[in-house]
Structures are given as C-alpha cells and as structure tokens.
Amino acid sequence: MSGAMRIFFLVSAALIVLAHIFSAHGAICRRMQCQKMDGRCEVECLSFEDKVGGCRAELTPLCCKKRKIN
C-alpha cells in the first residue's frame, strides 16, 4: 500500500510542476508580445499611457504603451 501512495504523490507532484511550467510559458509569451508592441507590463498604466492589451500575469495584468502626440 505504501508503494502505491508514493507513486500517487510523485505523479501528483509532477502534474503540479508541469502546470506551473506551462502557465509560466504563457506569461512569458504575453510579455514578449507586449514588448513587440513597444509597451510594458504593469499593474496600472500611468496617466500618459494607454492600455494596449493584457499581460494577464498575477502581478502585472496590463500592457501599457506611451501615447503618441499628434
């Protein structure tokens, strides 16, 4: 019985690690996409910046970009 319990906990731990790896990969891709749009990921955009899109990370949900002056 203890052998089955060990395998169960190892498989559970492996699944948790994989879930963290794949969620981090998505956040990195969104951050790179924001940088391609000449923006940056922040919690809140400054008054002279526009909200371009979403970085959707826990601490940096917005992609901010400086406004262009006409």
Side-chain angles (χ1 to χ4, degrees), residues 12-32:
S12 299
L15 289 175
I16 290 171
V17 169
L18 286 174
H20 283 287
I21 289 172
F22 285 116
S23 68
H25 177 70
I28 291 170
C29 290
R30 285 187 291 272
R31 185 176 296 263
M32 287 174 35

Side-chain angles (χ1 to χ4, degrees), residues 14-53:
L15 289 175
I16 290 171
V17 169
L18 286 174
H20 283 287
I21 289 172
F22 285 116
S23 68
H25 177 70
I28 291 170
C29 290
R30 285 187 291 272
R31 185 176 296 263
M32 287 174 35
Q33 185 177 18
C34 182
Q35 288 177 351
K36 284 181 184 177
M37 292 189 293
D38 199 26
R40 59 189 178 83
C41 294
E42 289 293 329
V43 176
E44 290 186 20
C45 295
L46 300 174
S47 60
F48 57 88
E49 293 179 326
D50 289 328
K51 297 176 186 174
V52 178

Side-chain angles (χ1 to χ4, degrees), residues 37-38 48-50 65-70:
M37 292 189 293
D38 199 26
F48 57 88
E49 293 179 326
D50 289 328
K65 182 178 179 181
K66 289 184 181 178
R67 288 185 190 149
K68 291 184 179 180
I69 299 173
N70 293 331

